[in-house]
Amino acid sequence: MDRQQLRDKFRGALLGVAVGDSLGAPFEGSPGLADPLSLPRADKEPGQLRYTDDTHMTLGVADSLVTKQGFDGAHMAETFARNYEEEPWRGYGAGPPQVFHLLRRGIPWNEAGRMLFGGSGSYGNGAAMRVTPIALAYYENTADMLEAARESASITHAHKLGIEGAALQAIAVTLLLREPPELRVSGSALTEVLITHANDAGASIYVDKLRSVKELLPKAPPFEVVSRVGHGIEAYEAVPAALYCFLKHSTSFSEAVRLAIRLGGDTDTIASMTGALSGAYLGESAIPSNWLRGLEGFERIRGLADALFEIALGKSRQRGRHK
Ligand code: AR6
Ligand code: MG
């Protein structure tokens, strides 16, 4: 793959997060089966697209990675807290603000997340929804990527299922970045890689739900995914649901994102994660220009994707020297 194509995929992944989030936000909490006529259309400008906490936190991850040229837990936690204090109205889940409060009381970044939900930590989808920049910066080295994905998740989502949701979403993004879009991705092979990972991590609920995704993909009507996998705020529902939406329409960014919104539930987050997968695979060039035109922060997001691309190339050169 040439440099230009890979950079297009980096931009697609990060812009995909923001586009899916912004388009899905007005539908959050809907029961599903929205009238197709009410869904965003690729041939129509939706006007100003405002992103929510999903993108706000993703940009925090990206900013911190760029500033520190890699993962630094204390810096990333401080970045999250500061961003939240500046724009608390973005639609944050209940858990993260509690973590920021604990950080401000002096609790270390790698302890605060464990204090939530009676000491079990959060299994919400908030760590998975923001993990894309980690997948980008570390896209060539799965072991380093997984370590950074898990540690970054644990800042606010210390429950094993919150962490593994982020790990699975990150693996999917990195694998799709490496895959040239001309070769049709095998949904079954990609899902199988994730099943193996979930199995090794002892996260059986992901194994079961990913098996359902694999089974439903070729034949079932899309709405069966809601009853079998779910479309909720829990990472173990939203992450497999997003994978399903991407794989169901792996050659069309707009159709994948529209399906995520149509399924209802946590539409902004599932559409955002679907957008990350589809953007990582197909690139920015596959995102409807009508959807990019009104996107809040477009230039900044694109610039961060380019900065993450440079970090990834730098890590790749470093590894080459040490071989
Ligand atoms: N026990 C019981 N319920 C839990 C647990 C647990 N251990 N962990 C999570 N929940 P949270 P997020 C439930 O608050 O993941 C925005 O709208 C609980 O109901 O950590 O950052 C985004 O768009 C908890 O409030 O926040 C996303 O949709 C909820 O899961 C979403 O919020 C979410 O976990 C991201 O939320
Ligand atoms: Mg959401």
Side-chain angles (χ1 to χ4, degrees):
M1 204 183 321
D2 67 26
R3 191 185 154 100
Q4 207 177 337
Q5 186 174 33
L6 188 57
R7 196 180 58 178
D8 187 53
K9 285 158 80 67
F10 271 62
R11 290 174 170 179
L14 209 57
L15 289 166
V17 168
V19 168
D21 170 26
S22 311
L23 288 171
F27 297 82
E28 196 175 13
S30 77
L33 269 172
D35 176 358
L37 292 178
S38 70
L39 295 176
R41 286 171 45 166
D43 59 357
K44 228 176 121 205
E45 252 188 77
Q48 172 72 29
L49 285 183
R50 187 177 283 276
Y51 60 72
T52 77
D53 62 309
D54 301 44
T55 304
H56 199 219
M57 291 206 87
T58 303
L59 298 181
V61 173
D63 269 328
S64 178
L65 288 171
V66 171
T67 304
K68 302 305 276 188
Q69 293 289 294
F71 176 71
D72 177 318
H75 186 269
M76 193 171 283
E78 169 59 28
T79 307
F80 289 159
R82 205 180 47 237
N83 285 351
Y84 172 74
E85 284 154 8
E86 283 170 8
E87 297 178 2
W89 43 264
R90 289 272 179 194
Y92 279 75
Q98 294 175 45
V99 170
F100 307 148
H101 184 69
L102 292 168
L103 293 172
R104 289 295 181 243
R105 281 177 37 203
I107 309 287
W109 71 272
N110 50 1
E111 290 177 24
R114 277 190 255 141
M115 298 176 169
L116 266 62
F117 297 100
S120 68
S122 172
Y123 52 62
N125 56 26
M129 78 189 183
R130 67 173 189 238
V131 80
T132 294
I134 304 262
L136 297 179
Y138 292 90
Y139 93 104
E140 268 197 333
N141 186 327
T142 307
D144 288 356
M145 186 278 288
L146 277 175
E147 190 183 336
R150 290 199 172 106
E151 287 197 25
S152 73
S154 73
I155 297 172
T156 49
H157 290 68
H159 194 289
K160 179 180 169 177
L161 296 177
I163 292 174
E164 287 314 312
L168 288 166
Q169 173 73 7
I171 293 171
V173 171
T174 53
L175 292 176
L176 291 165
L177 283 171
R178 295 178 200 163
E179 194 87 18
E182 309 82 60
L183 304 178
R184 220 178 129 67
V185 68
S186 159
S188 152
L190 177 59
T191 312
E192 205 47 58
V193 173
L194 300 180
I195 290 172
T196 303
H197 170 87
N199 200 34
D200 292 348
S204 61
I205 191 164
Y206 285 106
V207 174
D208 294 347
K209 286 184 186 284
L210 289 165
R211 284 208 177 114
S212 296
V213 167
K214 199 173 155 190
E215 210 179 293
L216 293 171
L217 266 174
K219 45 183 194 290
F223 292 101
E224 269 193 44
V225 81
V226 177
S227 49
R228 296 270 301 275
V229 175
H231 58 184
I233 205 169
E234 297 82 4
Y236 52 80
E237 294 198 1
V239 171
L243 179 74
Y244 175 85
C245 294
F246 160 63
L247 289 174
K248 194 77 189 165
H249 295 287
S250 61
T251 57
S252 168
F253 182 91
S254 58
E255 287 309 315
V257 164
R258 277 159 54 89
L259 173 59
I261 297 172
R262 191 142 190 260
L263 292 183
D266 196 358
T267 48
D268 57 343
T269 304
I270 297 174
S272 178
M273 292 194 289
T274 302
L277 298 172
S278 186
Y281 182 47
L282 301 173
E284 179 192 358
S285 47
I287 304 179
S289 50
N290 278 324
W291 291 0
L292 290 174
R293 208 164 290 129
L295 178 66
E296 179 185 9
F298 170 76
E299 292 294 344
R300 175 171 172 235
I301 296 168
R302 208 162 183 250
L304 279 169
D306 289 352
L308 292 164
F309 183 56
E310 292 305 322
I311 292 178
L313 293 185
K315 289 193 187 301
S316 171
R317 277 193 296 271
Q318 252 172 16
R319 250 198 330 281
R321 271 202 299 277
H322 293 142
K323 263 183 194 156

